[in-house]
């Protein structure tokens, strides 16, 4: 709880109620938040969407400036204020091919009573662009990008770590990663590190795989896991990439 200490100045005309309310309540001031229409992690070649900005006045004066990417000529057009809140939408164009960061700036005037000074708010949001990994049951070794992308298990490749997939009724499995090497491949249903069994797993070989929407291809590493008989159960695989 606040208190009045020696040296504090009590302005003329203030009541005790006003003094105590000011001690108990500290104005928050303006706030600015941004959200993306896409995920913050997207596959290479993903079409860009838009950024929505939400500005909350919280007792500040009026909004005096709003722009993006540190350039006042890049105006952000906010909506009319509703309960102290305004929104603006920045539409993005093109597709994601590299990590991007979007910055917005909003300036609020000081509050009418002088309790809040002029406030400049900056908010940034980033999009990480990643290649996708693929794994799944095949009847023949994949030879094209489309065949790799058709594998029924996939996810965004985030670097060295652990990845999981499932395979049912399989005789052959293809595993494709944009980089790294498999150091461990284990099935919950079987003991041991299967990547060490050269009679079971071959590779890696290289295959060209496109990004999303037919975007630029890169060389992937592909491993093939093959057995003589069909495994008619669902196997749960865990692999580690270094």
């Amino acid at each position: 709880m606040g208190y009045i200490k020696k040296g504090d100045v009590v302005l003329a005309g203030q009541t005790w109620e006003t003094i105590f309310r000011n001690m108990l309540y500290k104005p928050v001031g303006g706030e600015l938040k941004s959200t993306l229409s896409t995920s913050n992690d997207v596959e290479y070649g993903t079409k860009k969407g838009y950024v929505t900005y939400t500005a909350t006045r919280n007792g500040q004066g009026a909004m005096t400036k709003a722009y993006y990417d540190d350039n006042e000529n890049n105006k952000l057009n906010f909506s009319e204020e509703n309960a102290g809140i305004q929104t603006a939408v920045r539409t993005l164009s093109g597709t994601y091919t590299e990590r991007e960061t979007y910055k917005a700036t909003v300036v609020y005037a000081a509050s009418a009573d002088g309790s809040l000074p002029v406030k400049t708010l900056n908010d940034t949001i980033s999009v990480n662009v990643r290649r996708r990994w693929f794994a799944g049951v095949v009847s023949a070794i994949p030879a094209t990008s489309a065949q790799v992308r058709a594998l029924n298990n996939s996810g965004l490749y985030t670097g060295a770590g652990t990845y999981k997939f499932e395979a049912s009724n399989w005789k052959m499995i293809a595993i494709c990663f944009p980089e790294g090497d498999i150091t461990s491949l284990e099935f919950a249903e079987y003991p041991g590190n299967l990547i060490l069994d050269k009679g079971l797993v071959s590779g890696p070989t290289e295959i060209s795989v496109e990004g999303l929407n037919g975007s630029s291809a890169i060389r992937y590493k592909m491993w093939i896991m093959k057995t003589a008989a069909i495994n008619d159960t669902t196997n749960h695989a865990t692999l580690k990439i270094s």
Side-chain angles (χ1 to χ4, degrees), residues 26-93:
K26 182 176 179 60
V28 175
E31 295 179 304
L32 177 63
K33 294 181 180 179
S34 54
T35 56
L36 285 161
S37 61
T38 64
S39 169
N40 291 79
D41 291 274
V42 300
E43 184 183 359
Y44 185 100
T46 297
K47 291 181 180 179
K48 297 179 183 180
Y50 53 88
V51 187
T52 300
Y53 299 100
T54 302
T56 307
R57 193 153 60 91
N58 287 334
Q60 296 282 159
M63 184 186 294
T64 59
K65 293 181 181 180
Y67 53 92
Y68 61 88
D69 292 346
D70 293 320
N71 185 343
E72 293 191 20
N73 292 321
N74 295 332
K75 303 293 186 183
L76 280 174
N77 297 311
F78 275 83
S79 64
E80 292 294 323
E81 187 176 311
N82 183 6
I85 298 174
Q86 295 172 264
T87 59
V89 175
R90 176 185 174 186
T91 301
L92 309 172
S93 61

Side-chain angles (χ1 to χ4, degrees), residues 203-230:
T205 57
E206 288 192 346
I207 185 168
S208 180
V209 180
E210 294 178 343
L212 192 63
N213 296 313
S215 54
S216 299
I218 62 170
R219 303 300 292 180
Y220 271 58
K221 291 182 177 181
M222 179 170 64
W223 291 261
I224 299 297
M225 187 173 183
K226 187 176 181 181
T227 61
I230 293 177

